[in-house]
Amino acid sequence: TATIYLIQEVLCYPIFLWIAYLAYLKFTKERNKIVDIALIFLLALIFFVKSYAIVFAGAYFLTLCLIQLKKKNYKEIGKIILQGISCLSIIIIGIVLLRITNGEGVNHYSSQISGIFPLTLERITAFIYGIFFYALFFTLCLGFLPIFTATFGFKNYEEKDKNYIIFLLISTIF
């Protein structure tokens, strides 16, 4: 007999590639509502495939806010926050629908995440150490060349490419 076993990474990778491509379009081309809407849905969808991939949504919206802060375009920051809230709303609606139909959470991480509350100084310190060691191990596994090339050659890039590199670096940190 033949069986098909679908692992999460098989779904996560193409969704991530579409996010990376659409984010590149967003940072290098003119405004496009279809790209914005597609990114919101894909950033929410990737959470349901791999819950830790929520960091891409955080990195994306944080990068957009930093770009607009640099330009002192505060009106645009409000629109970005609304897009982030839209993405978060889609995730929350999806979780509620899964709990109603399934009786379960999205995945087993929900019980682990709920264990961090109430927040204490010890847990916050552990979180900071976790981010530091994750970034360190990620850098060691990835190799130094791609990160150093993007970081040290940053001034040589055009402004539209700098925005995309900031998104990639923020995603790497998280």
Side-chain angles (χ1 to χ4, degrees), residues 38-55:
L39 272 166
I40 290 170
F41 280 107
L42 287 173
L43 288 167
L45 178 65
I46 201 166
F47 170 78
F48 292 104
V49 177
K50 286 296 237 183
S51 60
Y52 64 77
I54 191 74
V55 299

Side-chain angles (χ1 to χ4, degrees), residues 15-82:
I15 294 171
F16 169 73
L17 288 178
W18 275 106
I19 289 171
Y21 174 69
L22 291 174
Y24 181 77
L25 289 180
K26 172 74 175 176
F27 294 132
T28 59
K29 305 284 183 196
E30 294 294 319
R31 291 184 56 119
N32 187 341
K33 294 254 187 222
I34 294 173
V35 170
D36 290 339
I37 293 168
L39 272 166
I40 290 170
F41 280 107
L42 287 173
L43 288 167
L45 178 65
I46 201 166
F47 170 78
F48 292 104
V49 177
K50 286 296 237 183
S51 60
Y52 64 77
I54 191 74
V55 299
F56 296 123
Y60 174 72
F61 292 117
L62 179 63
T63 303
L64 289 179
C65 286
L66 290 174
I67 291 167
Q68 296 308 321
L69 270 174
K70 183 179 172 186
K71 294 179 181 178
K72 296 184 179 176
N73 190 356
Y74 303 111
K75 184 179 179 183
E76 197 66 29
I77 292 174
K79 292 178 184 177
I80 295 166
I81 291 172
L82 284 175

Side-chain angles (χ1 to χ4, degrees), residues 144-159 161-163 165-166 169:
F144 295 100
L145 187 60
I147 293 173
F148 285 132
T149 303
T151 305
F152 291 124
F154 191 74
K155 291 182 179 180
N156 300 331
Y157 292 108
E158 294 180 25
E159 187 65 31
D161 292 328
K162 285 181 182 180
N163 296 335
I165 290 169
I166 290 170
L169 290 174

Side-chain angles (χ1 to χ4, degrees), residues 61 80-90:
F61 292 117
I80 295 166
I81 291 172
L82 284 175
Q83 289 178 353
I85 290 170
S86 299
C87 183
L88 186 61
S89 299
I90 292 170

Side-chain angles (χ1 to χ4, degrees), residues 118-136:
L119 290 177
T120 62
L121 183 60
E122 179 182 338
R123 290 181 178 156
I124 292 171
T125 305
F127 177 72
I128 293 169
Y129 281 131
I131 289 176
F132 171 75
F133 284 114
Y134 175 80
L136 178 68

